Amino acid sequence: MLRALPALLLLTAALFGGPAIAAADNDGLASYAALRDARPDGRTVAVEQLSITRDAFTFDFERGTFHLLAPVDGRTIGAVFLGEGSYVLRPASEHERRHLAFVRGERGLETVRDRFTELVLLFVDDTDREIQLQQTAQMDAPSPKAIDAYNRFLRVQRKDLEVNLHVRLLQDLLNTPGNQSGIFLAFVDGDALPPALLAVDPRGVEALRLGLPLLGAEDTMMLVIDSKRGGLWYLSDRDYEIARGKAPRYAAPVDALHYSLDTTITNRVDLRGETTITFRTQENGLRLLPVDLLPSLRVTDAQVRVVAVHPDPKDAAGPVIETPDARWQAAAVVQEHEDADATLAILAPTALPQRADVELRLTYAGAEVLQDVGDNNYVVGARTSWYPNFSVFRDPATFTLTYRVPKDHDVVSVGRMLETATTDAQVVSRWQADDPIRVAGFNYGRFERSAQVDEQSGIEMQVYTNPGTPDIIREINSIIQASGGGGFGGVTSEEGRAILSGASASQLGGGPGIERVNTARLAESALVDAINAARIGDTYFGALPQRHVAITQQAQWTFGQSWPSLIFLPYVSFMSSTLRAQLGFGLATSGGIEELGFHELAHQWWGHLVGWDSYRDQWLSEGFAEFTAELTAQHMRGWDASVANWKNKRDLITAKLQSPMPQYEVGPLTQGFRLSTGKSPAAYSVITYSKGAFVLHMLRMMMWEGRAEQPDGRFIAMMRDFVATHTGGAPSTADFQAIVQKHMTPSMNATGDGRIDWFFDQWVYGSAVPTLTSKLKIKKAGRGKYQIVGQVAQKDVDREFRTLVPLYLDFGRNQPKVQFGTLPMIGEMTRDVDVTLELPRKPKKAVINARMEVLAKIED
């Protein structure tokens, strides 16, 4: 049942700047209440053989009755259909067709079809007119069956989707009154398929605020609601946009300019705050402002004021209209229960003009941002929603941040510290991010600090470690105790104590255990790793705008994260590698933990300095950071170690990993997080991280000049150009392809047309991995010459698949392998090799792909 209206909305009068418009006078609030209350009102439309098409969806209503919802602002905004009908989804692209075939488990699938006996529609377009084409609505008593069907949809919205779709409808009703081409939503629980939300949203599905990352401007969606099979089965631009090869990018209604945050931590873990967002409107007539905030943080006050209006860019002579006497006005707040559809929205009392500079001030308080995990160790949980924002990663802005924390506690924040002061009960610190950043974050606890300025990159590396022992140590002690004091993996407790880098033993029930890990002693190693990674980034990609990076310890074991100038490294990364392995952390044995710091530091360039446009482009962040970590490791540990790492990644990419098919076959890089389904739980991380890194590695190796003073010179020039071109921006995969095209070398011209399209079509937009085999022999040819003869073959690809296979001479252990040629391969083919070379001595053997230049399965 709906809760009473006063419990749904938090409304307050202005506290600053004189009188304000009372929240009760906000007509947007009345519209929202009407939307939430709307039920079938007795108006019915009987139909036969009615067809409604919305982009890739066609709904056929064979016979039955539409029960219209009560009007809102004079418009019918929804209906419940009871009768017999069906729908069909016709994918607009081959990639989306393949994804549907995979999640459905149907080879050769062309369309998705299902039948239904009831369907819920919500719309701010002309669906009402289409429904009433055959017959105008008749008035009767409201149908209990139709009301029940609508209430079931509401329960799904609150408990399963946990998103307030009424807010999205309200956005169209308030921001674009009279709009006849707004959002269209259909909820269907059909005969054969799980329940699903079907949507066509002209603003882009990102505007639905489903809690999924950067969905972008793609506006047609099928979201299946099922614990095992659920997910985004379909997400695409409209069919006509795909047909013409051009689709718009996501356009946010506002552009954040500056955030001013004042945050107080009480009771060690509770949070209250006041945030003022300065933003510029991108549309005319905005009333509804979507705001992201952790649902457990409850807004208690909202104020808004316009401070300036800028002229139309076409009217360069027009003045900026400043309003210095503008007074704060109370805004209405829509925020449902924190455990349900708590999508936050602010309703301005009047329409905001286009190109207006506006200030929005929100006051809020609550819990669940911080978790106390013992001995002054804390976990910052709500990394992207601990403060109100319009969209993290989407909208860079400058920040001023004030923190008030309990005495004897510390805060490490994004930005640079301006000042700090200690009172009897609090530590107050102020921080400033002068350059626009995509997200603000902080770490909290009790820290010891180490720092070193790297002379080469000019960056001060700071490491903050917590001297206390988190609760997780007691969990490890319990495991030790359960093992009878024998340690892990056959290592005795005495041996275990010897490898703890400063740890001592304690007794829990008679069994030895870990008392603490002296993480401060390992801070020096973290500093060294950070400096090495910063030097690689500085050399290959260019200087960072900020002059320091703070690396902070967190009590979560294997979860690292990077914010602008602030990095979270897990507790386990501050342990010795031997102890990590003995404790059974799989990442430690595969090299993942050792390179985690490299990866997170690389995000200062990839993800923060240069962002990404939508979820389809997230490999430009995660894949690039993973590549940078491997690049750093190669410079530190040599090519042999690097090749071993690339082989590990190749093995992950070609493994099935709880999937009916190898990971690379699940889908292309541009499928993003949607690669992970119930049938392929690991595919997103494997493809986005490992294959994304491989793409950059392959480009690097194609541009490699082994005899040059700087073999990576051409690759460095390309990457620096990409960074310089898109600093502060959110490039797409196509934007990166354009930079590669600009720096393309003659040897990369595999198709002879001077285009790099072949590479991106195969490795980024495609999902094939070739199998390469070689049978090469070395024969003496006399007078210091040697003949390399044999064959190289390629298979498991289509006839247009192109590979540049590098040929190497292996002179034995501890000797560098020498490349003596590159063999172009097209499709499934076998090519002969017959080369005679003058060499100082006979090679041990001839091999292909010695530096893993090509992502390929190798058969000898």
Side-chain angles (χ1 to χ4, degrees):
M1 298 294 292
L2 284 175
R3 299 174 181 85
L5 182 61
L8 296 176
L9 306 173
L10 303 171
L11 308 171
T12 55
L15 300 178
F16 307 90
I21 297 175
D25 294 337
N26 193 314
D27 59 343
L29 181 60
S31 298
Y32 175 70
L35 277 170
R36 294 291 286 194
D37 288 340
R39 296 292 187 281
D41 64 355
R43 292 179 300 145
T44 61
V45 180
V47 297
E48 287 190 13
Q49 304 305 321
L50 172 65
S51 181
I52 294 178
T53 297
R54 292 293 181 269
D55 191 44
F57 300 112
T58 298
F59 301 87
D60 290 316
F61 302 96
E62 297 160 12
R63 64 185 59 84
T65 303
F66 283 98
H67 299 261
L68 305 182
L69 301 189
V72 176
D73 295 346
R75 296 186 57 172
T76 297
I77 49 81
V80 176
F81 173 80
L82 301 178
E84 297 181 19
S86 65
Y87 72 91
V88 58
L89 165 60
R90 296 181 175 86
S93 70
E94 177 61 17
H95 288 317
E96 288 301 311
R97 187 200 67 78
R98 290 185 69 247
H99 185 75
L100 279 169
F102 175 68
V103 296
R104 291 286 297 125
E106 297 180 15
R107 287 186 175 273
L109 176 145
E110 295 294 333
T111 61
V112 171
R113 299 173 181 269
D114 200 7
R115 296 190 59 79
F116 54 80
T117 55
E118 63 182 41
L119 182 78
V120 174
L121 296 177
L122 293 171
F123 43 79
V124 188
D125 62 1
D126 61 354
T127 299
D128 179 39
R129 181 186 61 81
E130 289 192 57
I131 290 174
Q132 298 194 59
L133 280 177
Q134 293 185 358
Q135 175 185 319
T136 57
Q138 306 296 310
M139 196 66 189
D140 202 346
S143 163
K145 187 175 181 181
I147 293 173
D148 287 345
Y150 191 74
N151 284 336
R152 283 194 294 274
F153 156 71
L154 290 179
R155 285 193 291 272
V156 170
Q157 170 179 293
R158 293 170 184 158
K159 298 301 182 182
D160 297 319
L161 294 175
E162 295 184 351
V163 61
N164 191 339
L165 297 173
H166 295 96
V167 166
R168 177 63 192 90
L169 269 71
L170 185 65
Q171 186 176 20
D172 277 355
L173 290 174
L174 294 184
N175 291 359
T176 53
N179 183 10
Q180 295 297 316
S181 58
I183 189 170
F184 173 90
L185 299 170
F187 172 72
V188 56
D189 189 355
D191 293 346
L193 301 180
L197 179 68
L198 314 179
V200 180
D201 192 337
R203 287 185 173 271
V205 173
E206 186 167 322
L208 288 174
R209 301 167 69 193
L210 297 170
L212 299 170
L214 298 185
L215 295 180
E218 294 177 326
D219 46 16
T220 304
M221 176 192 78
M222 180 179 185
L223 176 62
V224 172
I225 307 163
D226 185 85
S227 59
K228 294 182 179 179
R229 295 181 289 168
L232 282 169
W233 280 21
Y234 185 81
L235 182 58
S236 176
D237 291 309
R238 302 203 188 199
D239 50 8
Y240 70 86
E241 294 171 335
I242 291 176
R244 72 184 183 185
K246 188 176 182 180
R249 292 194 175 184
Y250 181 75
V254 300
D255 176 22
L257 305 175
H258 183 75
Y259 287 82
S260 179
L261 277 61
D262 195 321
T263 302
T264 301
I265 296 174
T266 61
N267 301 322
R268 294 182 178 267
V269 293
D270 295 336
L271 184 146
R272 69 171 186 264
E274 180 181 281
T275 291
T276 300
I277 312 173
T278 303
F279 63 92
R280 186 165 297 165
T281 56
Q282 306 286 80
E283 303 173 8
N284 189 42
L286 291 183
R287 290 286 308 280
L288 185 145
L289 302 172
V291 177
D292 291 338
L293 185 67
L294 186 71
S296 62
L297 294 175
R298 311 305 292 176
V299 177
T300 56
D301 185 64
Q303 306 283 321
V304 65
R305 66 177 179 180
V306 177
V307 295
V309 179
H310 294 263
D312 190 319
K314 298 177 182 178
D315 182 16
V320 176
I321 303 172
E322 297 185 357
T323 55
D325 295 328
R327 297 190 177 190
W328 291 103
Q329 294 181 309
V333 179
V334 175
Q335 189 180 37
E336 298 290 343
H337 191 276
E338 64 185 85
D339 295 326
D341 49 342
T343 307
L344 176 63
I346 306 301
L347 308 181
T350 57
L352 302 173
Q354 191 169 11
R355 296 177 298 277
D357 287 349
V358 183
E359 291 181 349
L360 172 66
R361 183 170 59 203
L362 300 176
T363 305
Y364 47 93
E368 298 184 18
V369 172
L370 297 167
Q371 179 185 357
D372 187 342
V373 293
D375 205 0
N376 294 312
N377 284 273
Y378 299 87
V379 171
V380 183
R383 300 277 175 82
T384 61
S385 56
W386 63 276
Y387 64 97
N389 62 80
F390 288 129
S391 180
V392 298
F393 297 109
R394 173 68 73 192
D395 192 10
T398 55
F399 280 77
T400 301
L401 308 104
T402 300
Y403 301 93
R404 308 171 194 276
V405 303
K407 192 175 180 180
D408 298 327
H409 286 68
D410 304 306
V411 162
V412 185
S413 174
V414 299
R416 59 186 178 89
M417 182 186 284
L418 301 178
E419 60 182 349
T420 183
T422 302
T423 67
D424 290 340
Q426 284 185 326
V427 178
V428 181
S429 60
R430 288 202 313 120
W431 305 71
Q432 179 81 27
D434 301 302
D435 296 305
I437 59 176
R438 302 174 195 277
V439 62
F442 70 98
N443 206 349
Y444 164 70
R446 187 173 295 168
F447 298 110
E448 294 178 352
R449 180 181 184 273
S450 302
Q452 181 176 334
V453 177
D454 175 37
E455 295 181 358
Q456 180 174 317
S457 65
I459 299 175
E460 181 184 44
M461 290 298 170
Q462 306 166 353
V463 176
Y464 293 83
T465 55
N466 191 305
T469 302
D471 293 339
I472 191 68
I473 293 298
R474 289 194 289 274
E475 297 178 27
I476 292 177
N477 286 336
S478 296
I479 298 173
I480 294 175
Q481 182 183 10
S483 70
F488 297 84
V491 177
T492 67
S493 301
E494 197 65 29
E495 291 170 328
R497 287 197 297 273
I499 62 174
L500 282 177
S501 300
S504 59
S506 64
Q507 295 292 325
L508 284 179
I514 304 170
E515 181 180 325
R516 63 185 297 269
V517 174
N518 191 344
T519 55
R521 290 182 56 181
L522 297 170
E524 182 178 350
S525 175
L527 277 173
V528 171
D529 284 350
I531 287 171
N532 282 324
R535 288 180 176 179
I536 291 296
D538 186 76
T539 299
Y540 278 76
F541 316 129
L544 292 173
Q546 73 265 21
R547 294 291 83 199
H548 84 276
V549 176
I551 299 169
T552 65
Q553 172 198 328
Q554 64 174 2
Q556 289 168 309
W557 276 99
T558 58
F559 178 67
Q561 199 165 22
S562 179
W563 269 192
S565 75
L566 175 66
I567 293 173
F568 298 87
L569 284 185
Y571 193 87
V572 68
S573 68
F574 289 90
M575 289 180 169
S576 70
S577 59
T578 308
L579 176 59
R580 289 196 297 261
Q582 298 305 323
L583 291 179
F585 288 101
L587 285 174
T589 59
S590 68
I593 288 291
E594 280 81 358
E595 295 177 14
L596 180 61
F598 300 158
H599 177 102
E600 299 304 340
L601 188 67
H603 274 309
Q604 297 302 305
W605 284 269
W606 312 123
H608 296 308
L609 186 61
V610 178
W612 68 97
D613 184 47
S614 82
Y615 76 97
R616 293 192 183 273
D617 312 296
Q618 194 165 2
W619 74 279
L620 298 178
S621 173
E622 298 297 352
F624 278 39
E626 191 74 356
F627 164 80
T628 305
E630 293 299 344
L631 180 67
T632 304
Q634 179 246 309
H635 279 276
M636 291 178 63
R637 299 166 192 158
W639 273 109
D640 287 346
S642 178
V643 169
N645 284 345
W646 288 115
K647 286 181 178 178
N648 286 339
K649 292 186 188 302
R650 186 269 316 276
D651 292 345
L652 284 174
I653 294 166
T654 57
K656 290 189 175 181
L657 300 180
Q658 298 178 299
S659 175
M661 60 179 62
Q663 300 299 287
Y664 67 87
E665 291 185 3
V666 173
L669 269 169
T670 50
Q671 209 70 2
F673 70 86
R674 294 173 59 207
L675 292 163
S676 288
T677 69
K679 292 184 175 182
S680 55
Y684 163 69
S685 59
V686 169
I687 299 301
T688 302
Y689 286 69
S690 295
K691 187 182 178 185
F694 238 116
V695 166
L696 211 52
H697 173 66
M698 288 189 285
L699 287 171
R700 178 198 181 198
M701 298 316 297
M702 284 195 293
M703 304 180 84
W704 180 269
E705 295 179 285
R707 297 184 179 180
E709 181 178 352
Q710 171 49 280
D712 271 327
R714 296 186 298 196
F715 179 75
I716 289 172
M718 179 182 76
M719 298 306 293
R720 281 176 165 257
D721 189 7
F722 181 56
V723 171
T725 302
H726 294 287
T727 289
S732 66
T733 297
D735 292 328
F736 177 61
Q737 182 173 342
I739 294 293
V740 177
Q741 178 66 52
K742 178 180 174 182
H743 292 266
M744 179 179 172
T745 66
S747 63
M748 299 164 72
N749 188 16
T751 50
D753 58 0
R755 303 293 302 174
I756 199 64
D757 300 8
W758 68 272
F759 180 87
F760 279 79
D761 288 344
Q762 290 177 187
W763 297 110
V764 177
Y765 303 111
S767 54
V769 170
T771 298
L772 299 176
T773 62
S774 64
K775 295 180 179 179
L776 301 173
K777 296 181 180 180
I778 301 174
K779 302 178 181 179
K780 290 184 179 181
R783 296 186 178 183
K785 294 183 179 180
Y786 298 88
Q787 184 182 18
I788 300 98
V789 295
Q791 293 180 327
V792 176
Q794 174 173 267
K795 62 180 182 179
D796 299 333
V797 292
D798 63 38
R799 64 182 182 178
E800 296 297 327
F801 196 97
R802 298 170 187 268
T803 306
L804 303 176
V805 182
L807 307 174
Y808 281 86
L809 296 176
D810 185 348
F811 288 92
R813 187 176 182 182
N814 298 325
Q815 297 296 315
K817 296 177 179 65
V818 178
Q819 185 174 355
F820 68 92
T822 300
L823 196 64
M825 309 287 286
I826 304 176
E828 294 197 341
M829 68 180 305
T830 300
R831 292 198 61 178
D832 293 329
V833 176
D834 190 344
V835 179
T836 300
L837 301 171
E838 185 174 341
L839 300 170
R841 63 185 181 279
K842 183 180 178 180
K844 296 289 185 182
K845 57 184 176 179
V847 297
I848 62 173
N849 212 31
R851 289 185 173 176
M852 294 299 294
E853 293 96 331
V854 180
L855 170 56
K857 296 166 285 184
I858 304 296
E859 292 182 356
D860 296 327

